[in-house]
Amino acid sequence: MLSGSSLKGDNVVNPQRRGPRQDRGNHARLGSGRIAYAVLSFGGFLGMGDKLFAIPWQAFSVDTVQKRLVLNTNKELLEKATGFDKSNWPDMADPGWGASLYGYYGYKPYWD
């Protein structure tokens, strides 16, 4: 078992073990206690200009040997995803926002 805090700040790779993207944290839905999203940062240079992206937790697997997350989605989907600025986060408690996000990545929200 890996704790969410042990993964925060770690690099995230794709199934071909290419990366890095940085995990900015995991977000649980209150009431269920389940992790709903991981927020990743990428797109910038030396930490400047990075955008943040919320990704459904189901899109990840955990590499317990290397102790890192593996993001199981294609690059094109990520490149077209709507990101947000670190000073302007979306309302992640809004079930409609979450359902739209899950749909974009091809997952059904577990709260439906």
Side-chain angles (χ1 to χ4, degrees), residues 6-98:
S6 74
L7 294 169
K8 186 175 181 179
D10 286 353
N11 289 333
V12 177
V13 297
N14 65 17
Q16 293 76 36
R17 305 302 188 247
R18 294 189 193 131
R21 292 170 180 81
Q22 190 175 50
D23 183 5
R24 295 294 186 151
N26 307 309
H27 300 272
R29 293 189 69 79
L30 295 178
S32 72
R34 293 180 62 179
I35 296 175
Y37 322 101
V39 176
L40 302 184
S41 166
F42 56 96
F45 179 70
L46 298 176
M48 297 173 54
D50 283 2
K51 283 185 83 174
L52 300 179
F53 297 85
I55 310 221
W57 189 246
Q58 289 95 320
F60 295 90
S61 57
V62 178
D63 179 344
T64 56
V65 174
Q66 296 294 320
K67 297 183 180 175
R68 62 185 176 186
L69 292 175
V70 178
L71 177 56
N72 300 302
T73 192
N74 68 54
K75 183 179 177 181
E76 293 77 26
L77 198 61
L78 289 173
E79 288 173 344
K80 294 178 183 175
T82 302
F84 53 94
D85 186 71
K86 63 183 173 184
S87 63
N88 190 23
W89 285 54
D91 180 3
M92 293 185 167
D94 175 7
W97 177 85

